[in-house]
Each structure stands twice: as C-alpha cells, then as structure tokens.
Amino acid sequence: RSGTSTMQIGSTNTSTINIGVSGDTVNIPSGVTIANAGTATGFGGSSDVLFAATMTANQTMSHEVTAKVAFNDEIYDVGTCYDHSTNYRFTVPSGKGGYYHIGYSFVIENAANSRQYINWIRPYKNGSDFHLGSGSYGGQVQFYQNNTDNPTRNIHGIKDFIISLSAGDYIEIYAQSATNNSSSSSGRADYSMFWGYKLVT
C-alpha cells in the first residue's frame, strides 16, 4: 500500500489478529514509534515478589547475644515469600532468582539512667553474616541517658542494598547488644521494619 493514510488491519468483527507463527521474527525498524492506546500484556517484566514486615511487640536484646530480629507482623507478601510466623525470613521463590532490593530498620530504646551499646545490626544470607559497611548497622554505637536526657532517645540503624539472589536463598536480620550495657536493650516494634522486592531488569 502506498500513500500516507492509515492502514487498518482487522475490523470490528475480528476477535484475534496473529502476526507470524512460532519461530518467526517480527522486526520493527529503527525510528519507528509504537503508540499504544490499548492494554499491553506480555511485555517486559513484573515485580511479582514483594514483602514488608514489622514487629508486634518490642524485642528484648540480651547482653552480648546475637539474636534474630523477629519481624513477625506481615504487611505485604506478594509471591508468598516471607515467613512471619517461625523463621522471620525472606526466601526467594522458585523461578524468581535475580536482583533484589532489600532494606531494614531497627530502633534500640532504653529507659532513663542507663547506658546502651548495640554492637551491630546486620543482614544474614543463608544463615551466614555478610557485611555491608560501618555505622549503626555494622559497628558499635552507644548512647547514655541520665535524668536530664530525653528518655525516648533511640539508636536507629537503617540500611538498604541491592543483591543478586537465586531461588531458595534467604535473608534474615540479626542484631547484637553489647555486654557493657547498664540494662538490656529493647528493639522498638513501632519503628522497626524489614522489606524487599524483586527488581525488573
């Protein structure tokens, strides 16, 4: 067909239009603009793995004991990938390996007149610690409260990162309170969260 008018393929009584068959290649040359005003399906990827969890109660951190943070209150769980009842872990579903954005925050609080140290807050992959750098999520942090301090002062560790994961890999969050604390630390439920999702690449 020649000219500049619009060529219509199909009509109002056509239900399906097929272009080519299995094994064919349909080429769209450089410079061509594809304008879609309908519903496009089957293009690109979808972020069909997503989770977010928090805590239903404050978590006591015993001195010099490495403890998993019990993110037991599930907010989102797209893809049935987060265990909020037993292991408090994110597991990559079958067939969903790829790059993931993972994040966590953890708030340590204590009462007045006590000294608090948090050795570290870190993610574990498949049961083993892997380091992401220094700071309140990687190195020791302390604060001290006396009668003139604000009794609601917190240590806030927050971190997010991108990691390549395979199906079956799992991520958990661990923390350790230091032995020289004046009293046990308490992880604040209302400010702590664990989240992640699969990146579309």
Side-chain angles (χ1 to χ4, degrees):
R1 175 163 180 166
S2 61
T4 58
S5 60
T6 300
M7 181 174 65
Q8 177 73 38
I9 300 176
S11 63
T12 56
N13 62 353
T14 302
S15 59
T16 302
I17 299 172
N18 292 323
I19 301 175
V21 296
S22 178
D24 289 350
T25 298
V26 177
N27 291 318
I28 299 175
S30 174
V32 173
T33 299
I34 300 176
N36 174 47
T39 301
T41 61
F43 293 93
S46 60
S47 184
D48 52 1
V49 182
L50 167 70
F51 76 94
T54 185
M55 303 157 66
T56 56
N58 291 356
Q59 180 174 344
T60 299
M61 306 296 297
S62 299
H63 298 169
E64 207 69 21
V65 174
T66 299
K68 186 188 301 185
V69 183
F71 292 103
N72 64 341
D73 188 12
E74 198 172 73
I75 302 173
Y76 306 109
D77 188 3
V78 178
T80 316
C81 59
Y82 187 75
D83 178 0
H84 70 282
S85 60
T86 305
N87 293 311
Y88 317 119
R89 70 173 56 153
F90 159 66
T91 303
V92 179
S94 176
K96 300 299 181 180
Y99 289 99
Y100 281 82
H101 183 187
I102 304 294
Y104 59 94
S105 65
F106 191 58
V107 169
I108 294 293
E109 180 191 60
N110 72 314
N113 300 310
S114 62
R115 187 183 302 276
Q116 291 293 320
Y117 293 81
I118 185 72
N119 280 343
W120 48 258
I121 307 166
R122 293 177 186 151
Y124 274 45
K125 175 185 175 184
N126 298 335
S128 298
D129 176 17
F130 68 100
H131 299 277
L132 293 170
S134 62
S136 58
Y137 46 84
Q140 188 181 82
V141 177
Q142 72 151 326
F143 69 92
Y144 176 69
Q145 293 186 190
N146 55 36
N147 289 329
T148 60
D149 284 337
N150 180 355
T152 61
R153 188 178 299 171
N154 302 317
I155 294 175
H156 190 184
I158 184 167
K159 182 69 176 179
D160 65 329
F161 57 98
I162 295 174
I163 185 173
S164 177
L165 297 172
S166 300
D169 285 344
Y170 61 91
I171 301 292
E172 303 157 308
I173 306 301
Y174 280 79
Q176 186 185 93
S177 180
T179 189
N180 49 355
N181 284 352
S182 302
S183 62
S184 296
S185 302
S186 178
R188 284 280 301 269
D190 49 352
Y191 291 113
S192 300
M193 182 174 285
F194 180 26
W195 67 90
Y197 55 89
K198 188 178 186 298
L199 298 176
V200 178
T201 57

